[in-house]
Amino acid sequence: MEVGKTLFLLGLFLALLGLLLLYFPKLFAWFGHLPGDIRVEREGLRVYIPLTSALVLSLLLSLLFNLLSALRR
């Protein structure tokens, strides 16, 4: 039963995130535009490598999951 509850909460989180992106697209406009993110734009070629954005996102998710884990105990 624990797996079902986890999947339900994950689905709810993804649905809420989708609604945020749909109705507030500028909320995540920073992603991919931070210093340290690699952008190469040439004629016929676009490459985006969001290194710093991925690190920030990883840090935020780690903090969130650690907080949820602490609250769960």
Side-chain angles (χ1 to χ4, degrees), residues 5-6 8 11 18 23-24 26 32 34 40 53 60 68-69 71:
K5 185 177 176 182
T6 303
F8 175 76
Y23 291 110
F24 303 103
K26 294 193 186 247
L34 293 176
V40 177
S53 297
L60 290 175
L68 290 175
S69 176
L71 290 175

Side-chain angles (χ1 to χ4, degrees), residues 23-44:
Y23 291 110
F24 303 103
K26 294 193 186 247
L27 188 63
F28 295 102
W30 58 270
F31 190 80
H33 298 284
L34 293 176
D37 291 341
I38 299 171
R39 300 172 88 194
V40 177
E41 295 185 27
R42 296 187 181 145
E43 189 175 327

Side-chain angles (χ1 to χ4, degrees), residues 4-71:
K5 185 177 176 182
T6 303
L7 287 175
F8 175 76
L9 291 175
L10 182 63
L12 187 62
F13 172 75
L14 288 175
L16 291 174
L17 183 62
L19 286 173
L20 278 175
L21 288 172
L22 183 63
Y23 291 110
F24 303 103
K26 294 193 186 247
L27 188 63
F28 295 102
W30 58 270
F31 190 80
H33 298 284
L34 293 176
D37 291 341
I38 299 171
R39 300 172 88 194
V40 177
E41 295 185 27
R42 296 187 181 145
E43 189 175 327
L45 174 70
R46 281 189 198 164
V47 177
Y48 298 110
I49 305 173
L51 293 175
T52 306
S53 297
L55 287 173
V56 169
L57 185 62
S58 176
L59 177 68
L60 290 175
L61 287 173
S62 293
L63 290 172
L64 175 70
F65 287 134
N66 283 326
L67 177 67
L68 290 175
S69 176
L71 290 175

